[in-house]
Short mmCIF file of all heavy atoms in Angstrom, two decimals:
data_model
loop_
_atom_site.label_atom_id
_atom_site.label_comp_id
_atom_site.label_asym_id
_atom_site.label_seq_id
_atom_site.Cartn_x
_atom_site.Cartn_y
_atom_site.Cartn_z
N ASP A 157 6.71 -7.56 6.09
CA ASP A 157 8.11 -7.55 6.08
C ASP A 157 8.65 -7.25 4.69
O ASP A 157 9.62 -6.53 4.55
CB ASP A 157 8.69 -8.84 6.67
CG ASP A 157 8.49 -8.93 8.20
OD1 ASP A 157 8.11 -7.82 8.88
OD2 ASP A 157 8.51 -10.08 8.59
N SER A 158 7.96 -7.86 3.68
CA SER A 158 8.52 -7.70 2.39
C SER A 158 8.43 -6.30 1.76
O SER A 158 9.05 -5.93 0.81
CB SER A 158 7.78 -8.61 1.44
OG SER A 158 6.42 -8.31 1.41
N VAL A 159 7.64 -5.37 2.51
CA VAL A 159 7.54 -4.09 1.82
C VAL A 159 8.01 -2.97 2.81
O VAL A 159 8.17 -1.77 2.51
CB VAL A 159 6.08 -3.64 1.47
CG1 VAL A 159 5.66 -4.78 0.51
CG2 VAL A 159 5.18 -3.68 2.59
N LYS A 160 8.38 -3.40 4.02
CA LYS A 160 8.93 -2.38 5.04
C LYS A 160 10.09 -1.54 4.48
O LYS A 160 11.00 -2.19 3.90
CB LYS A 160 9.34 -3.04 6.29
CG LYS A 160 8.10 -3.38 7.33
CD LYS A 160 8.65 -4.02 8.52
CE LYS A 160 7.58 -4.44 9.47
NZ LYS A 160 7.94 -5.22 10.58
N GLY A 161 10.09 -0.24 4.63
CA GLY A 161 11.18 0.55 4.25
C GLY A 161 11.06 1.01 2.81
O GLY A 161 11.67 1.90 2.29
N ARG A 162 10.08 0.36 2.02
CA ARG A 162 9.86 0.68 0.71
C ARG A 162 8.47 1.32 0.38
O ARG A 162 8.39 2.25 -0.49
CB ARG A 162 10.04 -0.52 -0.23
CG ARG A 162 11.49 -1.19 -0.21
CD ARG A 162 11.61 -2.22 -1.12
NE ARG A 162 10.74 -3.41 -1.07
CZ ARG A 162 9.81 -3.74 -1.89
NH1 ARG A 162 9.88 -3.10 -3.18
NH2 ARG A 162 9.09 -4.73 -1.85
N PHE A 163 7.53 0.77 1.09
CA PHE A 163 6.06 1.27 0.95
C PHE A 163 5.70 2.07 2.10
O PHE A 163 6.10 1.84 3.20
CB PHE A 163 5.20 0.04 0.77
CG PHE A 163 5.30 -0.74 -0.50
CD1 PHE A 163 6.37 -0.59 -1.42
CD2 PHE A 163 4.31 -1.69 -0.72
CE1 PHE A 163 6.49 -1.28 -2.49
CE2 PHE A 163 4.46 -2.43 -1.88
CZ PHE A 163 5.47 -2.31 -2.74
N THR A 164 4.87 3.13 1.85
CA THR A 164 4.32 3.94 2.92
C THR A 164 2.89 4.08 2.76
O THR A 164 2.41 4.57 1.68
CB THR A 164 4.94 5.35 2.98
OG1 THR A 164 6.34 5.37 3.03
CG2 THR A 164 4.32 6.20 4.01
N ILE A 165 2.07 3.71 3.78
CA ILE A 165 0.66 3.81 3.69
C ILE A 165 0.22 5.02 4.59
O ILE A 165 0.91 5.52 5.38
CB ILE A 165 0.05 2.63 4.34
CG1 ILE A 165 -1.47 2.66 4.05
CG2 ILE A 165 0.31 2.51 5.88
CD1 ILE A 165 -2.28 1.26 4.41
N SER A 166 -0.82 5.76 3.99
CA SER A 166 -1.31 6.91 4.70
C SER A 166 -2.82 7.05 4.60
O SER A 166 -3.35 6.51 3.62
CB SER A 166 -0.63 8.25 4.13
OG SER A 166 -0.80 8.36 2.82
N ARG A 167 -3.44 7.77 5.48
CA ARG A 167 -4.84 7.96 5.48
C ARG A 167 -5.16 9.38 5.39
O ARG A 167 -4.50 10.30 5.90
CB ARG A 167 -5.40 7.49 6.90
CG ARG A 167 -5.47 5.98 6.98
CD ARG A 167 -6.39 5.22 6.21
NE ARG A 167 -7.74 5.50 6.64
CZ ARG A 167 -8.41 4.85 7.60
NH1 ARG A 167 -7.81 3.73 8.15
NH2 ARG A 167 -9.69 5.15 7.83
N ASP A 168 -6.26 9.78 4.72
CA ASP A 168 -6.86 10.95 4.65
C ASP A 168 -8.36 10.88 5.17
O ASP A 168 -9.26 10.37 4.43
CB ASP A 168 -6.83 11.62 3.28
CG ASP A 168 -7.29 13.04 3.11
OD1 ASP A 168 -8.15 13.40 3.96
OD2 ASP A 168 -6.77 13.80 2.45
N ALA A 169 -8.58 11.22 6.41
CA ALA A 169 -9.93 11.08 7.06
C ALA A 169 -10.87 11.87 6.30
O ALA A 169 -12.07 11.47 6.12
CB ALA A 169 -9.77 11.34 8.54
N ALA A 170 -10.48 13.04 6.08
CA ALA A 170 -11.43 14.12 5.37
C ALA A 170 -11.87 13.56 3.98
O ALA A 170 -13.08 13.77 3.66
CB ALA A 170 -10.81 15.41 5.30
N GLU A 171 -11.02 12.83 3.29
CA GLU A 171 -11.28 12.24 1.95
C GLU A 171 -11.85 10.91 1.98
O GLU A 171 -12.19 10.28 1.05
CB GLU A 171 -10.08 12.40 1.02
CG GLU A 171 -9.57 13.79 0.78
CD GLU A 171 -10.62 14.64 -0.06
OE1 GLU A 171 -11.38 13.94 -0.89
OE2 GLU A 171 -10.73 15.78 0.11
N ASN A 172 -11.82 10.31 3.29
CA ASN A 172 -12.27 8.92 3.43
C ASN A 172 -11.47 8.06 2.50
O ASN A 172 -12.07 7.15 1.74
CB ASN A 172 -13.77 8.77 3.15
CG ASN A 172 -14.46 7.61 3.87
OD1 ASN A 172 -13.90 7.17 4.81
ND2 ASN A 172 -15.53 7.22 3.26
N SER A 173 -10.21 8.09 2.54
CA SER A 173 -9.32 7.53 1.55
C SER A 173 -8.00 6.87 2.25
O SER A 173 -7.59 7.28 3.39
CB SER A 173 -8.97 8.37 0.41
OG SER A 173 -8.03 9.34 0.81
N VAL A 174 -7.37 5.94 1.59
CA VAL A 174 -6.12 5.55 1.95
C VAL A 174 -5.34 5.39 0.70
O VAL A 174 -5.74 5.16 -0.27
CB VAL A 174 -6.22 4.15 2.58
CG1 VAL A 174 -6.83 3.01 1.67
CG2 VAL A 174 -4.93 3.62 3.18
N SER A 175 -4.01 5.64 0.95
CA SER A 175 -3.02 5.62 -0.24
C SER A 175 -1.85 4.86 0.17
O SER A 175 -1.64 4.56 1.35
CB SER A 175 -2.62 7.02 -0.64
OG SER A 175 -1.95 7.65 0.46
N LEU A 176 -1.19 4.33 -0.86
CA LEU A 176 0.03 3.53 -0.70
C LEU A 176 1.14 3.99 -1.68
O LEU A 176 0.97 3.84 -2.92
CB LEU A 176 -0.33 2.06 -1.12
CG LEU A 176 0.76 0.99 -0.76
CD1 LEU A 176 1.07 0.90 0.72
CD2 LEU A 176 0.58 -0.39 -1.39
N GLN A 177 2.02 4.67 -1.11
CA GLN A 177 3.26 5.00 -1.87
C GLN A 177 4.26 3.89 -1.94
O GLN A 177 4.77 3.34 -0.92
CB GLN A 177 3.90 6.28 -1.27
CG GLN A 177 5.13 6.78 -1.97
CD GLN A 177 4.84 7.35 -3.34
OE1 GLN A 177 3.93 7.97 -3.58
NE2 GLN A 177 5.73 6.98 -4.26
N MET A 178 4.50 3.47 -3.16
CA MET A 178 5.44 2.38 -3.41
C MET A 178 6.73 2.73 -4.08
O MET A 178 6.72 3.21 -5.18
CB MET A 178 4.82 1.25 -4.18
CG MET A 178 3.52 0.81 -3.64
SD MET A 178 2.59 -0.44 -4.67
CE MET A 178 2.12 0.53 -6.01
N ASN A 179 7.87 2.73 -3.44
CA ASN A 179 9.13 3.08 -3.85
C ASN A 179 9.97 1.86 -4.08
O ASN A 179 9.76 0.74 -3.54
CB ASN A 179 9.81 4.01 -2.91
CG ASN A 179 9.01 5.38 -2.80
OD1 ASN A 179 8.30 5.79 -3.72
ND2 ASN A 179 9.08 6.11 -1.71
N SER A 180 11.17 1.88 -4.76
CA SER A 180 12.04 0.89 -4.93
C SER A 180 11.32 -0.43 -5.39
O SER A 180 11.66 -1.49 -4.77
CB SER A 180 12.79 0.70 -3.73
OG SER A 180 13.58 1.93 -3.36
N LEU A 181 10.44 -0.27 -6.25
CA LEU A 181 9.73 -1.50 -6.70
C LEU A 181 10.47 -2.52 -7.29
O LEU A 181 11.47 -2.19 -8.00
CB LEU A 181 8.67 -0.98 -7.71
CG LEU A 181 7.37 -0.42 -7.00
CD1 LEU A 181 6.51 0.48 -7.97
CD2 LEU A 181 6.48 -1.39 -6.35
N ARG A 182 10.04 -3.88 -7.05
CA ARG A 182 10.85 -5.04 -7.52
C ARG A 182 9.93 -5.74 -8.39
O ARG A 182 8.62 -5.63 -8.27
CB ARG A 182 11.21 -5.78 -6.30
CG ARG A 182 12.03 -5.09 -5.30
CD ARG A 182 12.26 -5.92 -4.05
NE ARG A 182 13.01 -5.27 -2.94
CZ ARG A 182 13.23 -5.57 -1.72
NH1 ARG A 182 12.41 -6.67 -1.34
NH2 ARG A 182 13.90 -4.94 -0.89
N VAL A 183 10.51 -6.59 -9.20
CA VAL A 183 9.63 -7.51 -9.98
C VAL A 183 8.66 -8.25 -9.23
O VAL A 183 7.48 -8.42 -9.74
CB VAL A 183 10.58 -8.34 -10.88
CG1 VAL A 183 9.74 -9.32 -11.66
CG2 VAL A 183 11.45 -7.63 -11.82
N GLU A 184 9.16 -8.66 -8.04
CA GLU A 184 8.14 -9.43 -7.30
C GLU A 184 7.08 -8.82 -6.59
O GLU A 184 6.33 -9.39 -5.94
CB GLU A 184 9.01 -10.29 -6.22
CG GLU A 184 9.90 -9.38 -5.30
CD GLU A 184 11.37 -9.35 -5.83
OE1 GLU A 184 11.60 -9.32 -7.02
OE2 GLU A 184 12.21 -9.20 -4.89
N ASP A 185 7.04 -7.39 -6.81
CA ASP A 185 5.93 -6.69 -6.32
C ASP A 185 4.73 -6.65 -7.33
O ASP A 185 3.64 -6.19 -7.10
CB ASP A 185 6.36 -5.11 -6.09
CG ASP A 185 7.27 -5.01 -4.92
OD1 ASP A 185 7.10 -5.80 -3.94
OD2 ASP A 185 8.31 -4.28 -5.09
N THR A 186 5.01 -7.32 -8.43
CA THR A 186 3.88 -7.30 -9.52
C THR A 186 2.72 -8.15 -9.05
O THR A 186 2.81 -9.21 -8.56
CB THR A 186 4.53 -8.11 -10.73
OG1 THR A 186 5.50 -7.21 -11.28
CG2 THR A 186 3.31 -8.20 -11.75
N ALA A 187 1.51 -7.51 -8.91
CA ALA A 187 0.30 -8.07 -8.49
C ALA A 187 -0.84 -7.20 -8.77
O ALA A 187 -0.60 -6.08 -9.16
CB ALA A 187 0.55 -8.34 -6.89
N VAL A 188 -1.98 -7.75 -8.51
CA VAL A 188 -3.16 -6.86 -8.38
C VAL A 188 -3.36 -6.49 -6.82
O VAL A 188 -3.28 -7.38 -5.92
CB VAL A 188 -4.48 -7.63 -8.72
CG1 VAL A 188 -5.67 -6.90 -8.57
CG2 VAL A 188 -4.27 -8.11 -10.25
N TYR A 189 -3.33 -5.29 -6.70
CA TYR A 189 -3.41 -4.61 -5.43
C TYR A 189 -4.93 -4.21 -5.03
O TYR A 189 -5.62 -3.56 -5.76
CB TYR A 189 -2.56 -3.33 -5.33
CG TYR A 189 -1.10 -3.79 -5.20
CD1 TYR A 189 -0.41 -4.22 -6.29
CD2 TYR A 189 -0.35 -3.49 -4.03
CE1 TYR A 189 0.87 -4.50 -6.19
CE2 TYR A 189 0.91 -3.98 -3.92
CZ TYR A 189 1.55 -4.36 -4.99
OH TYR A 189 2.94 -4.78 -4.84
N TYR A 190 -5.42 -4.70 -3.95
CA TYR A 190 -6.74 -4.58 -3.50
C TYR A 190 -6.80 -3.57 -2.21
O TYR A 190 -6.03 -3.85 -1.26
CB TYR A 190 -7.38 -5.80 -3.21
CG TYR A 190 -7.52 -6.82 -4.31
CD1 TYR A 190 -6.58 -7.78 -4.57
CD2 TYR A 190 -8.70 -6.79 -5.21
CE1 TYR A 190 -6.75 -8.61 -5.64
CE2 TYR A 190 -8.90 -7.64 -6.19
CZ TYR A 190 -7.91 -8.44 -6.47
OH TYR A 190 -8.06 -9.35 -7.54
N CYS A 191 -7.69 -2.63 -2.31
CA CYS A 191 -7.89 -1.82 -1.10
C CYS A 191 -8.95 -2.49 -0.22
O CYS A 191 -9.92 -3.24 -0.88
CB CYS A 191 -8.57 -0.44 -1.61
SG CYS A 191 -9.15 0.51 -0.28
N ALA A 192 -8.84 -2.58 1.11
CA ALA A 192 -9.80 -3.12 1.90
C ALA A 192 -10.14 -2.29 3.09
O ALA A 192 -9.35 -1.47 3.60
CB ALA A 192 -9.38 -4.55 2.39
N ALA A 193 -11.35 -2.51 3.56
CA ALA A 193 -11.84 -1.67 4.81
C ALA A 193 -12.62 -2.65 5.70
O ALA A 193 -13.33 -3.59 5.28
CB ALA A 193 -12.61 -0.53 4.36
N SER A 194 -12.54 -2.24 7.02
CA SER A 194 -13.25 -3.08 7.96
C SER A 194 -14.16 -2.22 8.83
O SER A 194 -13.89 -1.02 8.96
CB SER A 194 -12.32 -3.74 8.92
OG SER A 194 -12.88 -4.52 9.90
N SER A 195 -15.20 -2.79 9.26
CA SER A 195 -16.09 -2.16 10.12
C SER A 195 -15.96 -2.52 11.52
O SER A 195 -16.64 -2.20 12.48
CB SER A 195 -17.61 -2.45 9.74
OG SER A 195 -17.94 -3.77 9.88
N MET A 196 -14.84 -3.28 11.88
CA MET A 196 -14.49 -3.61 13.07
C MET A 196 -13.33 -2.90 13.59
O MET A 196 -12.30 -2.57 12.91
CB MET A 196 -14.20 -5.25 13.18
CG MET A 196 -15.44 -6.08 12.81
SD MET A 196 -14.99 -7.83 12.62
CE MET A 196 -14.22 -7.92 11.15
#
């Protein structure tokens, strides 16, 4: 809920990648961001 409307996630299957576009960033968005993948 804290990022809805500001962040957009997208996938590129051909590149086997995921991206996160972060707009209207706030001080409280400061963090270490981790990419994660599941086999389930």
Side-chain angles (χ1 to χ4, degrees):
D157 289 342
S158 59
V159 306
K160 275 181 187 174
R162 301 187 299 120
F163 291 12
T164 302
I165 190 169
S166 58
R167 293 284 297 271
D168 187 330
E171 295 292 326
N172 206 22
S173 67
V174 61
S175 62
L176 186 68
Q177 177 66 42
M178 304 181 290
N179 298 330
S180 301
L181 281 161
R182 304 168 180 167
V183 171
E184 54 264 38
D185 294 319
T186 295
V188 177
Y189 285 70
Y190 295 93
C191 173
S194 177
S195 65
M196 297 178 280

